[in-house]
Amino acid sequence: MIQLHDLQFEPFISEAEIEEAIAKVASQLNADYKDENPVFLGVLNGAFMFASDVIKRFEGDCEVSFVKLGSYEGTSTTGAVKTLLGLNQQLKERRVIIIEDIVDTGNTLEEINKILKKEGVADYQVATLFFKPEAYKKEFNIKYAGLEIPNKFIVGYGLDYDGLGRNLTKVYKRKE
């Protein structure tokens, strides 16, 4: 059990399970993007650990960029996604792989979709470490999902609760 701010969290996903999920996603990306030069677009802050680990396992040439979007306050989404740090790279006619820590409602993906359409990308796919199918409300294809999980609030491995917990190597769920 751990305490972050006013909430308690209990162990949920082990380091070994996370490693296995990363290896699965990286293997799929290596097969699908062999002999290509995709742009990995990491979504900050949460995806920094997953992006690093997946990109280290990518066997071909690639480029890396980041955007920072925010929609959470405390343990729930506000529903409004704000761009906090925009693109600094030309993506016209490029193949892009969006690297997300977690896909729940899909609101962040909707905002990224608008950005990428405006940029004129050739195509894009979504790679996420965690996917919450129960919470997902959008139509975007989630091609690469490390782990499908129930709609619980989690922290660790890049995910936080009001700034705390991103550095944890395991994932914890909120104690109910």
Side-chain angles (χ1 to χ4, degrees):
M1 196 74 60
I2 62 166
Q3 178 93 23
L4 300 175
H5 295 298
D6 58 332
L7 297 180
Q8 288 193 320
F9 294 84
E10 55 192 357
F12 182 50
I13 301 170
S14 70
E15 285 183 67
E17 290 171 289
I18 293 168
E19 283 295 319
E20 194 174 304
I22 293 164
K24 177 180 92 170
V25 170
S27 175
Q28 292 170 322
L29 290 168
N30 279 316
D32 291 352
Y33 289 88
K34 185 176 171 45
D35 302 323
E36 294 197 41
N37 179 22
V39 177
F40 285 98
L41 183 62
V43 181
L44 297 172
N45 285 339
F48 77 99
M49 289 176 90
F50 179 52
S52 172
D53 285 344
V54 164
I55 294 165
K56 283 188 279 190
R57 288 169 176 80
F58 189 71
E59 296 165 356
D61 290 336
C62 66
E63 295 173 38
V64 180
S65 194
F66 291 92
V67 293
K68 183 173 182 178
L69 304 171
S71 67
Y72 266 79
E73 285 180 10
T75 61
S76 59
T77 182
T78 62
V81 178
K82 297 181 287 203
T83 301
L84 307 172
L85 176 69
L87 278 174
N88 62 357
Q89 180 177 359
Q90 178 62 250
L91 295 179
K92 188 172 180 60
E93 301 297 319
R94 297 297 306 273
R95 297 196 71 198
V96 175
I97 302 161
I98 299 166
I99 304 287
E100 270 280 30
D101 53 352
I102 190 165
V103 173
D104 45 30
T105 62
N107 291 339
T108 301
L109 286 181
E110 187 171 62
E111 193 61 30
I112 293 171
N113 179 62
K114 290 177 193 170
I115 293 167
L116 295 181
K117 277 196 183 309
K118 197 165 80 176
E119 288 290 316
V121 302
D123 69 24
Y124 73 87
Q125 295 296 335
V126 178
T128 184
L129 181 54
F130 304 111
F131 178 50
K132 295 181 180 179
E134 296 166 39
Y136 192 59
K137 306 281 187 249
K138 306 296 179 190
E139 299 296 318
F140 306 107
N141 180 35
I142 310 302
K143 186 166 184 180
Y144 309 100
L147 293 166
E148 287 191 7
I149 61 171
N151 193 15
K152 305 282 184 200
F153 186 78
I154 61 173
V155 297
Y157 199 77
L159 294 128
D160 75 308
Y161 168 50
D162 279 348
L164 297 181
R166 290 191 196 279
N167 61 317
L168 300 169
T169 57
K170 298 177 198 145
V171 170
Y172 296 79
K173 67 179 178 178
R174 182 178 176 182
K175 187 169 190 254
E176 296 172 14

Short mmCIF file of all heavy atoms in Angstrom, two decimals, residues 120-174:
data_model
loop_
_atom_site.label_atom_id
_atom_site.label_comp_id
_atom_site.label_asym_id
_atom_site.label_seq_id
_atom_site.Cartn_x
_atom_site.Cartn_y
_atom_site.Cartn_z
N GLY A 120 -1.45 17.50 -41.79
CA GLY A 120 -1.42 16.76 -43.05
C GLY A 120 -0.58 15.50 -43.02
O GLY A 120 0.10 15.17 -43.99
N VAL A 121 -0.63 14.75 -41.90
CA VAL A 121 0.13 13.51 -41.82
C VAL A 121 -0.40 12.49 -42.83
O VAL A 121 -1.58 12.52 -43.20
CB VAL A 121 0.11 12.89 -40.39
CG1 VAL A 121 0.66 13.86 -39.37
CG2 VAL A 121 -1.27 12.42 -40.00
N ALA A 122 0.47 11.60 -43.27
CA ALA A 122 0.07 10.54 -44.20
C ALA A 122 -0.91 9.59 -43.51
O ALA A 122 -1.95 9.24 -44.04
CB ALA A 122 1.28 9.79 -44.72
N ASP A 123 -0.54 9.16 -42.31
CA ASP A 123 -1.42 8.35 -41.47
C ASP A 123 -0.84 8.30 -40.07
O ASP A 123 0.30 8.71 -39.84
CB ASP A 123 -1.63 6.93 -42.03
CG ASP A 123 -0.40 6.05 -41.97
OD1 ASP A 123 0.49 6.28 -41.13
OD2 ASP A 123 -0.32 5.09 -42.75
N TYR A 124 -1.65 7.80 -39.14
CA TYR A 124 -1.16 7.62 -37.78
C TYR A 124 -1.84 6.45 -37.12
O TYR A 124 -2.96 6.07 -37.50
CB TYR A 124 -1.31 8.90 -36.93
CG TYR A 124 -2.73 9.23 -36.52
CD1 TYR A 124 -3.28 8.69 -35.37
CD2 TYR A 124 -3.50 10.09 -37.28
CE1 TYR A 124 -4.58 8.98 -34.99
CE2 TYR A 124 -4.79 10.40 -36.91
CZ TYR A 124 -5.33 9.85 -35.76
OH TYR A 124 -6.62 10.13 -35.40
N GLN A 125 -1.15 5.88 -36.15
CA GLN A 125 -1.69 4.81 -35.32
C GLN A 125 -1.45 5.19 -33.86
O GLN A 125 -0.58 6.00 -33.57
CB GLN A 125 -1.01 3.47 -35.62
CG GLN A 125 -1.26 2.93 -37.00
CD GLN A 125 -2.72 2.58 -37.26
OE1 GLN A 125 -3.49 2.29 -36.35
NE2 GLN A 125 -3.11 2.63 -38.53
N VAL A 126 -2.21 4.55 -32.98
CA VAL A 126 -2.09 4.80 -31.55
C VAL A 126 -1.46 3.59 -30.88
O VAL A 126 -1.90 2.46 -31.09
CB VAL A 126 -3.48 5.08 -30.92
CG1 VAL A 126 -3.35 5.28 -29.41
CG2 VAL A 126 -4.14 6.28 -31.58
N ALA A 127 -0.43 3.85 -30.08
CA ALA A 127 0.18 2.81 -29.25
C ALA A 127 0.05 3.29 -27.81
O ALA A 127 0.52 4.36 -27.45
CB ALA A 127 1.65 2.62 -29.61
N THR A 128 -0.63 2.49 -26.99
CA THR A 128 -0.83 2.86 -25.59
C THR A 128 -0.42 1.70 -24.69
O THR A 128 -0.59 0.54 -25.05
CB THR A 128 -2.29 3.27 -25.32
OG1 THR A 128 -2.41 3.72 -23.97
CG2 THR A 128 -3.27 2.13 -25.56
N LEU A 129 0.12 2.04 -23.54
CA LEU A 129 0.47 0.99 -22.60
C LEU A 129 -0.78 0.42 -21.96
O LEU A 129 -0.94 -0.79 -21.84
CB LEU A 129 1.43 1.52 -21.53
CG LEU A 129 1.90 0.51 -20.49
CD1 LEU A 129 2.53 -0.73 -21.13
CD2 LEU A 129 2.88 1.16 -19.53
N PHE A 130 -1.69 1.30 -21.56
CA PHE A 130 -2.93 0.88 -20.89
C PHE A 130 -4.13 1.36 -21.67
O PHE A 130 -4.17 2.50 -22.13
CB PHE A 130 -2.99 1.43 -19.46
CG PHE A 130 -1.82 1.05 -18.62
CD1 PHE A 130 -0.90 2.01 -18.22
CD2 PHE A 130 -1.60 -0.26 -18.24
CE1 PHE A 130 0.20 1.67 -17.45
CE2 PHE A 130 -0.50 -0.62 -17.48
CZ PHE A 130 0.40 0.35 -17.08
N PHE A 131 -5.14 0.50 -21.80
CA PHE A 131 -6.38 0.82 -22.50
C PHE A 131 -7.56 0.42 -21.63
O PHE A 131 -7.60 -0.71 -21.15
CB PHE A 131 -6.42 0.11 -23.86
CG PHE A 131 -7.68 0.35 -24.64
CD1 PHE A 131 -8.17 1.63 -24.84
CD2 PHE A 131 -8.37 -0.71 -25.19
CE1 PHE A 131 -9.34 1.86 -25.56
CE2 PHE A 131 -9.54 -0.50 -25.92
CZ PHE A 131 -10.02 0.78 -26.11
N LYS A 132 -8.48 1.36 -21.42
CA LYS A 132 -9.69 1.11 -20.63
C LYS A 132 -10.89 1.06 -21.57
O LYS A 132 -11.54 2.07 -21.81
CB LYS A 132 -9.90 2.23 -19.61
CG LYS A 132 -8.84 2.34 -18.55
CD LYS A 132 -9.22 3.48 -17.60
CE LYS A 132 -8.24 3.68 -16.49
NZ LYS A 132 -8.64 4.81 -15.62
N PRO A 133 -11.22 -0.13 -22.11
CA PRO A 133 -12.33 -0.22 -23.06
C PRO A 133 -13.67 0.25 -22.48
O PRO A 133 -14.49 0.81 -23.22
CB PRO A 133 -12.39 -1.70 -23.44
CG PRO A 133 -11.25 -2.37 -22.79
CD PRO A 133 -10.57 -1.42 -21.88
N GLU A 134 -13.90 0.03 -21.19
CA GLU A 134 -15.17 0.44 -20.56
C GLU A 134 -15.37 1.95 -20.61
O GLU A 134 -16.49 2.43 -20.70
CB GLU A 134 -15.20 0.05 -19.07
CG GLU A 134 -15.17 -1.41 -18.76
CD GLU A 134 -14.87 -1.64 -17.27
OE1 GLU A 134 -15.39 -0.89 -16.42
OE2 GLU A 134 -14.12 -2.58 -16.98
N ALA A 135 -14.28 2.70 -20.52
CA ALA A 135 -14.36 4.16 -20.47
C ALA A 135 -14.29 4.80 -21.86
O ALA A 135 -14.64 5.97 -22.02
CB ALA A 135 -13.22 4.71 -19.61
N TYR A 136 -13.84 4.04 -22.87
CA TYR A 136 -13.56 4.59 -24.19
C TYR A 136 -14.85 4.98 -24.91
O TYR A 136 -15.75 4.17 -25.07
CB TYR A 136 -12.76 3.58 -25.01
CG TYR A 136 -12.18 4.16 -26.27
CD1 TYR A 136 -11.31 5.23 -26.23
CD2 TYR A 136 -12.51 3.63 -27.51
CE1 TYR A 136 -10.76 5.76 -27.39
CE2 TYR A 136 -11.97 4.14 -28.67
CZ TYR A 136 -11.11 5.22 -28.61
OH TYR A 136 -10.58 5.74 -29.75
N LYS A 137 -14.91 6.24 -25.36
CA LYS A 137 -16.13 6.78 -25.96
C LYS A 137 -15.95 7.20 -27.42
O LYS A 137 -16.88 7.73 -28.02
CB LYS A 137 -16.60 8.01 -25.17
CG LYS A 137 -16.78 7.78 -23.69
CD LYS A 137 -18.08 7.08 -23.41
CE LYS A 137 -18.36 6.99 -21.93
NZ LYS A 137 -18.27 5.64 -21.41
N LYS A 138 -14.78 7.03 -27.99
CA LYS A 138 -14.51 7.54 -29.33
C LYS A 138 -14.38 6.40 -30.34
O LYS A 138 -14.46 5.23 -29.99
CB LYS A 138 -13.22 8.38 -29.34
CG LYS A 138 -13.20 9.50 -28.32
CD LYS A 138 -14.25 10.55 -28.56
CE LYS A 138 -14.19 11.62 -27.49
NZ LYS A 138 -15.28 12.53 -27.51
N GLU A 139 -14.17 6.78 -31.61
CA GLU A 139 -14.12 5.80 -32.70
C GLU A 139 -12.70 5.54 -33.22
O GLU A 139 -12.53 4.76 -34.14
CB GLU A 139 -14.99 6.28 -33.87
CG GLU A 139 -16.45 6.45 -33.51
CD GLU A 139 -17.12 5.14 -33.13
OE1 GLU A 139 -16.87 4.11 -33.80
OE2 GLU A 139 -17.90 5.13 -32.16
N PHE A 140 -11.69 6.20 -32.66
CA PHE A 140 -10.33 6.02 -33.16
C PHE A 140 -9.85 4.61 -32.85
O PHE A 140 -10.05 4.09 -31.77
CB PHE A 140 -9.37 7.04 -32.53
CG PHE A 140 -9.83 8.46 -32.70
CD1 PHE A 140 -10.34 9.16 -31.62
CD2 PHE A 140 -9.79 9.09 -33.93
CE1 PHE A 140 -10.79 10.45 -31.76
CE2 PHE A 140 -10.24 10.38 -34.09
CZ PHE A 140 -10.74 11.07 -32.99
N ASN A 141 -9.19 4.01 -33.84
CA ASN A 141 -8.66 2.66 -33.67
C ASN A 141 -7.44 2.67 -32.73
O ASN A 141 -6.53 3.45 -32.92
CB ASN A 141 -8.26 2.10 -35.04
CG ASN A 141 -7.70 0.70 -34.95
OD1 ASN A 141 -8.15 -0.10 -34.14
ND2 ASN A 141 -6.73 0.40 -35.78
N ILE A 142 -7.49 1.81 -31.73
CA ILE A 142 -6.35 1.64 -30.83
C ILE A 142 -5.65 0.36 -31.29
O ILE A 142 -5.99 -0.73 -30.88
CB ILE A 142 -6.80 1.52 -29.35
CG1 ILE A 142 -7.76 2.64 -28.97
CG2 ILE A 142 -5.58 1.48 -28.44
CD1 ILE A 142 -7.24 4.04 -29.15
N LYS A 143 -4.70 0.53 -32.21
CA LYS A 143 -4.07 -0.64 -32.85
C LYS A 143 -3.11 -1.37 -31.92
O LYS A 143 -3.01 -2.58 -31.96
CB LYS A 143 -3.35 -0.20 -34.12
CG LYS A 143 -2.81 -1.38 -34.90
CD LYS A 143 -2.39 -1.01 -36.29
CE LYS A 143 -1.94 -2.26 -37.03
NZ LYS A 143 -1.52 -1.97 -38.39
N TYR A 144 -2.39 -0.61 -31.09
CA TYR A 144 -1.37 -1.23 -30.23
C TYR A 144 -1.70 -0.91 -28.78
O TYR A 144 -1.53 0.22 -28.33
CB TYR A 144 0.02 -0.68 -30.57
CG TYR A 144 0.36 -0.74 -32.04
CD1 TYR A 144 0.23 0.39 -32.85
CD2 TYR A 144 0.80 -1.92 -32.63
CE1 TYR A 144 0.55 0.34 -34.20
CE2 TYR A 144 1.11 -1.98 -33.98
CZ TYR A 144 0.98 -0.84 -34.76
OH TYR A 144 1.28 -0.89 -36.09
N ALA A 145 -2.16 -1.92 -28.05
CA ALA A 145 -2.47 -1.74 -26.63
C ALA A 145 -1.71 -2.79 -25.83
O ALA A 145 -1.87 -3.99 -26.07
CB ALA A 145 -3.96 -1.86 -26.38
N GLY A 146 -0.88 -2.31 -24.90
CA GLY A 146 -0.11 -3.23 -24.08
C GLY A 146 -1.00 -4.07 -23.18
O GLY A 146 -0.92 -5.30 -23.18
N LEU A 147 -1.86 -3.40 -22.41
CA LEU A 147 -2.76 -4.09 -21.47
C LEU A 147 -4.13 -3.43 -21.46
O LEU A 147 -4.23 -2.21 -21.39
CB LEU A 147 -2.19 -4.01 -20.04
CG LEU A 147 -0.91 -4.77 -19.75
CD1 LEU A 147 -0.32 -4.32 -18.42
CD2 LEU A 147 -1.16 -6.26 -19.73
N GLU A 148 -5.17 -4.25 -21.53
CA GLU A 148 -6.52 -3.74 -21.30
C GLU A 148 -6.80 -3.87 -19.82
O GLU A 148 -6.54 -4.93 -19.23
CB GLU A 148 -7.54 -4.53 -22.12
CG GLU A 148 -7.48 -4.21 -23.58
CD GLU A 148 -8.66 -4.77 -24.37
OE1 GLU A 148 -9.62 -5.32 -23.77
OE2 GLU A 148 -8.62 -4.67 -25.60
N ILE A 149 -7.31 -2.79 -19.23
CA ILE A 149 -7.54 -2.78 -17.79
C ILE A 149 -8.95 -2.26 -17.50
O ILE A 149 -9.53 -1.56 -18.33
CB ILE A 149 -6.48 -1.91 -17.04
CG1 ILE A 149 -6.54 -0.46 -17.50
CG2 ILE A 149 -5.08 -2.50 -17.23
CD1 ILE A 149 -5.70 0.49 -16.67
N PRO A 150 -9.48 -2.57 -16.30
CA PRO A 150 -10.79 -2.02 -15.93
C PRO A 150 -10.69 -0.51 -15.69
O PRO A 150 -9.60 0.04 -15.57
CB PRO A 150 -11.14 -2.76 -14.64
CG PRO A 150 -9.88 -3.36 -14.14
CD PRO A 150 -8.94 -3.49 -15.29
N ASN A 151 -11.83 0.13 -15.62
CA ASN A 151 -11.89 1.58 -15.47
C ASN A 151 -11.64 2.00 -14.02
O ASN A 151 -12.51 2.47 -13.32
CB ASN A 151 -13.26 2.09 -15.95
CG ASN A 151 -13.27 3.59 -16.12
OD1 ASN A 151 -12.22 4.23 -16.16
ND2 ASN A 151 -14.45 4.16 -16.19
N LYS A 152 -10.39 1.82 -13.59
CA LYS A 152 -9.94 2.19 -12.24
C LYS A 152 -8.90 3.29 -12.37
O LYS A 152 -8.17 3.35 -13.36
CB LYS A 152 -9.29 0.99 -11.53
CG LYS A 152 -10.16 -0.24 -11.45
CD LYS A 152 -11.20 -0.10 -10.37
CE LYS A 152 -12.00 -1.38 -10.25
NZ LYS A 152 -13.26 -1.17 -9.58
N PHE A 153 -8.79 4.15 -11.35
CA PHE A 153 -7.78 5.20 -11.36
C PHE A 153 -6.45 4.58 -10.94
O PHE A 153 -6.35 3.97 -9.88
CB PHE A 153 -8.15 6.34 -10.41
CG PHE A 153 -7.20 7.49 -10.51
CD1 PHE A 153 -7.29 8.39 -11.56
CD2 PHE A 153 -6.19 7.67 -9.58
CE1 PHE A 153 -6.39 9.44 -11.68
CE2 PHE A 153 -5.30 8.71 -9.68
CZ PHE A 153 -5.39 9.61 -10.73
N ILE A 154 -5.43 4.72 -11.80
CA ILE A 154 -4.13 4.12 -11.54
C ILE A 154 -3.02 5.17 -11.54
O ILE A 154 -3.15 6.23 -12.14
CB ILE A 154 -3.80 3.00 -12.55
CG1 ILE A 154 -3.74 3.53 -13.99
CG2 ILE A 154 -4.80 1.85 -12.41
CD1 ILE A 154 -3.25 2.50 -15.01
N VAL A 155 -1.92 4.82 -10.85
CA VAL A 155 -0.72 5.65 -10.81
C VAL A 155 0.50 4.76 -10.98
O VAL A 155 0.44 3.56 -10.74
CB VAL A 155 -0.59 6.45 -9.48
CG1 VAL A 155 -1.74 7.43 -9.32
CG2 VAL A 155 -0.48 5.53 -8.29
N GLY A 156 1.60 5.39 -11.36
CA GLY A 156 2.86 4.66 -11.51
C GLY A 156 3.23 4.55 -12.98
O GLY A 156 2.41 4.75 -13.87
N TYR A 157 4.49 4.27 -13.20
CA TYR A 157 5.04 4.12 -14.55
C TYR A 157 4.59 5.27 -15.47
O TYR A 157 4.09 5.08 -16.56
CB TYR A 157 4.67 2.76 -15.15
CG TYR A 157 5.58 2.43 -16.31
CD1 TYR A 157 6.87 1.98 -16.08
CD2 TYR A 157 5.17 2.64 -17.61
CE1 TYR A 157 7.73 1.73 -17.14
CE2 TYR A 157 6.02 2.40 -18.67
CZ TYR A 157 7.29 1.95 -18.44
OH TYR A 157 8.14 1.72 -19.49
N GLY A 158 4.76 6.48 -14.98
CA GLY A 158 4.44 7.67 -15.76
C GLY A 158 3.12 8.33 -15.40
O GLY A 158 2.93 9.51 -15.63
N LEU A 159 2.20 7.56 -14.86
CA LEU A 159 0.88 8.10 -14.50
C LEU A 159 0.92 8.66 -13.09
O LEU A 159 1.58 8.09 -12.21
CB LEU A 159 -0.18 7.00 -14.57
CG LEU A 159 -0.42 6.48 -15.98
CD1 LEU A 159 -0.31 4.98 -16.01
CD2 LEU A 159 -1.77 6.92 -16.47
N ASP A 160 0.18 9.76 -12.88
CA ASP A 160 0.28 10.44 -11.58
C ASP A 160 -1.08 10.74 -10.97
O ASP A 160 -2.12 10.63 -11.62
CB ASP A 160 1.03 11.77 -11.75
CG ASP A 160 0.18 12.83 -12.43
OD1 ASP A 160 -0.40 12.56 -13.51
OD2 ASP A 160 0.07 13.93 -11.89
N TYR A 161 -1.01 11.11 -9.72
CA TYR A 161 -2.15 11.70 -9.01
C TYR A 161 -1.66 13.06 -8.51
O TYR A 161 -0.80 13.13 -7.63
CB TYR A 161 -2.61 10.82 -7.84
CG TYR A 161 -3.59 11.51 -6.92
CD1 TYR A 161 -4.71 12.16 -7.42
CD2 TYR A 161 -3.38 11.51 -5.55
CE1 TYR A 161 -5.59 12.80 -6.57
CE2 TYR A 161 -4.27 12.14 -4.69
CZ TYR A 161 -5.37 12.79 -5.20
OH TYR A 161 -6.26 13.44 -4.36
N ASP A 162 -2.14 14.12 -9.13
CA ASP A 162 -1.73 15.49 -8.80
C ASP A 162 -0.21 15.62 -8.66
O ASP A 162 0.30 16.18 -7.70
CB ASP A 162 -2.41 15.97 -7.51
CG ASP A 162 -3.84 16.44 -7.77
OD1 ASP A 162 -4.21 16.62 -8.95
OD2 ASP A 162 -4.57 16.63 -6.79
N GLY A 163 0.51 15.08 -9.65
CA GLY A 163 1.96 15.25 -9.71
C GLY A 163 2.78 14.16 -9.05
O GLY A 163 3.97 14.04 -9.32
N LEU A 164 2.19 13.34 -8.22
CA LEU A 164 2.94 12.29 -7.53
C LEU A 164 2.69 10.91 -8.15
O LEU A 164 1.60 10.63 -8.64
CB LEU A 164 2.55 12.24 -6.05
CG LEU A 164 2.85 13.47 -5.20
CD1 LEU A 164 2.44 13.23 -3.76
CD2 LEU A 164 4.32 13.87 -5.29
N GLY A 165 3.72 10.06 -8.08
CA GLY A 165 3.59 8.67 -8.49
C GLY A 165 4.17 8.32 -9.84
O GLY A 165 4.29 7.15 -10.17
N ARG A 166 4.53 9.31 -10.65
CA ARG A 166 5.04 9.02 -12.00
C ARG A 166 6.29 8.14 -11.97
O ARG A 166 6.54 7.37 -12.88
CB ARG A 166 5.38 10.31 -12.75
CG ARG A 166 4.19 11.13 -13.14
CD ARG A 166 4.59 12.24 -14.10
NE ARG A 166 3.57 13.26 -14.22
CZ ARG A 166 2.49 13.18 -14.98
NH1 ARG A 166 2.26 12.09 -15.67
NH2 ARG A 166 1.63 14.17 -15.03
N ASN A 167 7.10 8.26 -10.93
CA ASN A 167 8.37 7.56 -10.85
C ASN A 167 8.26 6.12 -10.37
O ASN A 167 9.25 5.39 -10.37
CB ASN A 167 9.31 8.32 -9.90
CG ASN A 167 8.75 8.41 -8.49
OD1 ASN A 167 7.55 8.68 -8.31
ND2 ASN A 167 9.58 8.19 -7.50
N LEU A 168 7.09 5.68 -9.99
CA LEU A 168 6.91 4.31 -9.50
C LEU A 168 7.11 3.31 -10.63
O LEU A 168 6.63 3.52 -11.74
CB LEU A 168 5.53 4.14 -8.87
CG LEU A 168 5.23 5.06 -7.68
CD1 LEU A 168 3.76 5.02 -7.32
CD2 LEU A 168 6.10 4.69 -6.50
N THR A 169 7.79 2.22 -10.36
CA THR A 169 8.07 1.23 -11.40
C THR A 169 6.96 0.20 -11.56
O THR A 169 6.93 -0.52 -12.55
CB THR A 169 9.40 0.50 -11.11
OG1 THR A 169 9.33 -0.10 -9.82
CG2 THR A 169 10.57 1.47 -11.18
N LYS A 170 6.06 0.15 -10.58
CA LYS A 170 4.87 -0.71 -10.67
C LYS A 170 3.67 0.22 -10.81
O LYS A 170 3.77 1.43 -10.60
CB LYS A 170 4.69 -1.53 -9.39
CG LYS A 170 5.81 -2.46 -9.09
CD LYS A 170 5.55 -3.17 -7.77
CE LYS A 170 6.86 -3.75 -7.28
NZ LYS A 170 7.00 -3.71 -5.84
N VAL A 171 2.52 -0.37 -11.11
CA VAL A 171 1.28 0.42 -11.19
C VAL A 171 0.39 0.05 -10.02
O VAL A 171 0.25 -1.13 -9.66
CB VAL A 171 0.57 0.18 -12.54
CG1 VAL A 171 -0.82 0.80 -12.56
CG2 VAL A 171 1.42 0.76 -13.67
N TYR A 172 -0.20 1.08 -9.45
CA TYR A 172 -1.08 0.93 -8.29
C TYR A 172 -2.46 1.47 -8.65
O TYR A 172 -2.59 2.41 -9.43
CB TYR A 172 -0.54 1.74 -7.11
CG TYR A 172 0.80 1.25 -6.62
CD1 TYR A 172 1.98 1.58 -7.30
CD2 TYR A 172 0.90 0.45 -5.48
CE1 TYR A 172 3.20 1.14 -6.87
CE2 TYR A 172 2.14 -0.01 -5.05
CZ TYR A 172 3.28 0.34 -5.74
OH TYR A 172 4.50 -0.11 -5.30
N LYS A 173 -3.51 0.85 -8.07
CA LYS A 173 -4.85 1.37 -8.28
C LYS A 173 -5.36 1.99 -6.99
O LYS A 173 -4.94 1.61 -5.89
CB LYS A 173 -5.80 0.27 -8.77
CG LYS A 173 -6.09 -0.82 -7.77
CD LYS A 173 -7.05 -1.84 -8.33
CE LYS A 173 -7.28 -2.94 -7.29
NZ LYS A 173 -8.23 -3.94 -7.75
N ARG A 174 -6.26 2.94 -7.14
CA ARG A 174 -6.82 3.62 -5.99
C ARG A 174 -7.57 2.61 -5.13
O ARG A 174 -8.36 1.81 -5.63
CB ARG A 174 -7.79 4.71 -6.46
CG ARG A 174 -8.38 5.49 -5.33
CD ARG A 174 -9.27 6.59 -5.86
NE ARG A 174 -9.92 7.26 -4.74
CZ ARG A 174 -10.78 8.22 -4.89
NH1 ARG A 174 -11.11 8.64 -6.11
NH2 ARG A 174 -11.33 8.78 -3.86
#
